[in-house]
Amino acid sequence: MIELFEALRDFLETGGPVLKAIAWLIFAMWLLILERVFYVFTAHKALVKELIQTWDARADKSSWNAEQIRQAMVSRASLKLKFSIPIIQAIVALCPLLGLLGTVTGMIQVFDVMAISGGGNARSMAAGVSQATIPTMAGMVGALSGVFASTWLTRTAKTERTHIEDALQMQRPV
């Protein structure tokens, strides 16, 4: 276990300070994603049952006022379902940008080494090259994993909204 933490620490040091920022950002993104997944599978189900019971208890289901109440119930449930998806999507967009920042800072280090040593020492430039490539890779991996999760959450939110709308059917006057 200690060896795993040492390897992780060495990896973070190799990637430079930008990699640490990317790691924290990915950690925060996955916390938000897991919170949304947990909400979808637990609290949202209870909310839908409560909405259906509230709607079924209404006597008036066909007037204009009933339609407005129905739309408000669906909208509130949809807002709760989509709560942190925009934040997750913003983090997904930010990950590759921070990766590019890591590339720039790593290349600046390579150019500094080239200016000091005359440009011929590949061994001294290796640290800058790894500092340039590792954050880029980490930013792209974080963004790709976040894209899949945010796409699933967005699709699930749309599907659940449709299910709620179907469950809270209006009674049409005859």
Side-chain angles (χ1 to χ4, degrees):
M1 190 66 152
I2 294 172
E3 295 158 0
L4 176 69
F5 285 118
E6 288 177 0
L8 183 61
R9 185 193 66 214
D10 291 342
F11 179 73
L12 288 173
E13 287 175 4
T14 303
V18 176
L19 185 61
K20 292 175 184 155
I22 293 171
W24 281 110
L25 196 64
I26 291 171
F27 179 72
M29 176 184 70
W30 274 101
L31 280 179
L32 290 171
I33 289 169
L34 291 174
E35 182 273 331
R36 284 290 88 194
V37 169
F38 181 73
Y39 176 79
V40 166
F41 288 117
T42 57
H44 179 69
K45 302 292 182 193
L47 176 67
V48 170
K49 285 181 183 177
E50 179 185 332
L51 288 176
I52 291 171
Q53 288 174 350
T54 303
W55 181 253
D56 287 343
R58 288 185 53 83
D60 176 26
K61 296 180 186 174
S62 60
S63 68
W64 181 86
N65 286 334
E67 172 63 19
Q68 300 309 307
I69 291 169
R70 178 183 164 276
Q71 285 180 5
M73 292 168 73
V74 170
S75 293
R76 286 187 191 113
S78 181
L79 282 174
K80 286 181 180 180
L81 201 55
K82 296 177 183 177
F83 179 66
S84 58
I85 293 176
I87 297 168
I88 293 167
Q89 291 171 335
I91 291 173
V92 165
L94 194 58
C95 280
L97 296 176
L98 282 176
L100 289 174
L101 178 64
T103 301
V104 170
T105 57
M107 292 311 295
I108 288 172
Q109 184 177 352
V110 169
F111 293 142
D112 284 345
V113 168
M114 288 174 63
I116 292 170
S117 68
N121 189 354
R123 204 174 282 243
S124 61
M125 291 187 295
V129 171
S130 66
Q131 189 175 345
T133 55
I134 291 174
T136 305
M137 181 241 353
M140 294 307 286
V141 167
L144 284 174
S145 66
V147 163
F148 292 129
S150 71
T151 301
W152 181 83
L153 287 170
T154 303
R155 187 171 22 101
T156 301
K158 283 183 182 179
T159 304
E160 285 297 316
R161 180 182 177 106
T162 304
H163 288 276
I164 294 170
E165 288 173 344
D166 291 344
L168 306 181
Q169 285 293 323
M170 292 282 298
Q171 288 179 352
R172 303 289 174 210
V174 181

